[in-house]
Amino acid sequence: MNKFFIATILFLCTIGCSKKEESDSSYHKGEMNILTDEAFKSVVEALADGYMISYPETKINIITKKEDLGFVDFLNDKAKIAVMSKELTDEEIKAYEDKVDLKFLPAKFAADAVVFFVPKDSDKSQITFDEIKQGLQSEEKSFVFDGTNSSNLNFVAQKINKKPGELKFSIIPGSINVIEELNKYPDKIGIIGLNTISRPYDKDAEKLRSMIKILPVVKDGKSFLPDAGGLREMKYPFTRVLYFLTNEGSFNIANGFIRYSCTQLGQMIVEKEGLQPYNIYRREVQMR
């Protein structure tokens, strides 16, 4: 067997192996993990279900973890995607770019909100921005979060220009538990993510909504609710934008999922979840 023939065999084997590796890694085939905070787990699950229906050879595992802890796990390559809401610090962006070796390019896909509420039979009907800011620095600890390191705590802290460690608050672990147990503490104000209760026709979400009264937030003399108008125009003071980060450099399952979520079909799923799609697609109708 001459050397030219052997070299040709080796070359063809190399090409064949390369093609096999490429075919095993694709946007329409494979498995990945997504890390998300509990506050927006529902919309992420809905998008993952939609993607797996469109591409039956994919499998997406949703891992729920507090936002800060999930970001650390993401940097340590325990998931292909992290779902975030807080604005990263310069140090966090640098850590992402150094660890992942990609530019920081958040893929924004939905407008969500942090919601302030009281039990249904409470006399309280609204809350001011200053009341929130002052209350979170009071020893009374009248605000109840779902835990430390959570997206809700991170976001509220950023909005009032404080660090989470500087705030004073109470904790009932888990957003649903905050809703179900707040009536035991009538002087407290609960804080959850809108996506916990936003699904319009879901029976569990309907039950949770029936137990609480959402408080409009008053800022600069104007009152705002976390409804469609308040989110669409970003007027509700605690509107937040959800976004994806990935550590995948090529166009495989992670980037395929992100593209799906940010295009029309994914944005329709976001809307069905009761959130505001970040990318709005207008439908033009010609009448003759």
Side-chain angles (χ1 to χ4, degrees):
M1 189 178 291
N2 62 47
K3 293 182 179 179
F4 176 77
F5 184 72
I6 294 172
T8 303
I9 294 289
L10 291 173
F11 176 71
L12 291 173
C13 285
T14 302
I15 292 176
C17 290
S18 297
K19 287 183 177 178
K20 185 177 187 301
E21 288 175 4
E22 288 175 5
S23 65
D24 287 344
S25 299
S26 169
Y27 71 91
H28 58 79
K29 182 189 298 184
E31 182 174 355
M32 72 165 173
N33 295 335
I34 298 179
L35 283 158
T36 180
D37 191 275
E38 176 196 11
F40 22 86
K41 177 185 177 185
S42 179
V43 67
V44 178
E45 285 183 332
L47 288 166
D49 288 344
Y51 194 78
M52 288 187 287
I53 289 170
S54 295
Y55 303 105
E57 292 186 72
T58 61
K59 183 180 180 183
I60 300 175
N61 308 305
I62 307 299
I63 301 173
T64 305
K65 207 154 194 179
K66 297 299 184 186
E67 187 174 47
D68 286 342
L69 303 178
F71 181 67
V72 172
D73 279 358
F74 168 71
L75 292 183
N76 289 323
D77 202 27
K78 293 184 179 179
K80 287 294 182 186
I81 292 175
V83 188
M84 306 291 294
S85 65
K86 73 171 187 174
E87 293 182 18
L88 298 189
T89 64
D90 292 340
E91 291 78 12
E92 287 171 328
I93 293 174
K94 186 177 187 304
Y96 169 81
E97 293 184 338
D98 289 347
K99 192 86 173 178
V100 177
D101 196 27
L102 292 172
K103 291 295 292 180
F104 175 68
L105 294 171
K108 301 173 182 179
F109 68 95
D112 184 30
V114 172
V115 173
F116 299 82
F117 70 93
V118 289
K120 199 75 171 180
D121 58 356
S122 173
D123 292 332
K124 192 170 183 61
S125 60
Q126 63 180 26
I127 190 167
T128 68
F129 189 89
D130 288 338
E131 187 181 350
I132 294 168
K133 191 170 184 177
Q134 293 166 11
L136 285 168
Q137 298 171 74
S138 168
E139 293 296 339
E140 294 181 3
K141 297 183 179 180
S142 57
F143 290 91
V144 182
F145 284 91
D146 57 339
T148 56
N149 299 308
S150 71
S151 63
N152 297 327
L153 177 60
N154 289 337
F155 186 75
V156 172
Q158 284 187 333
K159 292 300 288 186
I160 63 174
N161 297 316
K162 295 287 181 181
K163 295 180 180 178
E166 297 174 328
L167 304 185
K168 297 174 181 178
F169 53 89
S170 303
I171 291 176
I172 297 177
S175 297
I176 293 176
N177 291 334
V178 176
I179 294 173
E180 293 179 339
E181 297 183 25
L182 195 70
N183 59 0
K184 300 176 184 176
Y185 312 97
D187 59 332
K188 304 289 187 182
I189 297 169
I191 300 175
I192 58 171
L194 177 61
N195 191 219
T196 302
I197 57 171
S198 65
R199 300 177 302 283
Y201 308 111
D202 180 82
K203 290 184 178 179
D204 291 334
E206 287 179 0
K207 180 182 176 182
L208 293 173
R209 286 196 299 270
S210 71
M211 299 169 65
I212 65 175
K213 181 195 296 183
I214 296 175
L215 299 175
V217 176
V218 179
K219 188 177 183 183
D220 300 328
K222 295 181 180 179
S223 178
F224 304 98
L225 275 168
D227 54 15
L231 298 185
R232 185 182 305 112
E233 299 175 21
M234 303 286 284
K235 289 183 177 180
Y236 176 69
F238 292 90
T239 302
R240 62 182 173 189
V241 175
L242 306 183
Y243 62 92
F244 298 116
L245 290 179
T246 183
N247 51 26
E248 181 182 87
S250 55
F251 191 79
N252 291 323
I253 184 171
N255 281 308
F257 172 79
I258 290 172
R259 184 179 70 173
Y260 170 89
S261 300
C262 294
T263 51
Q264 187 170 11
L265 187 55
Q267 294 292 280
M268 289 170 64
I269 293 173
V270 169
E271 190 169 30
K272 287 182 179 179
E273 276 286 303
L275 300 182
Q276 174 61 39
Y278 187 81
N279 303 293
I280 300 173
Y281 293 84
R282 294 182 179 178
R283 180 180 295 176
E284 295 183 4
V285 178
Q286 291 185 352
M287 299 185 67
R288 295 181 180 177

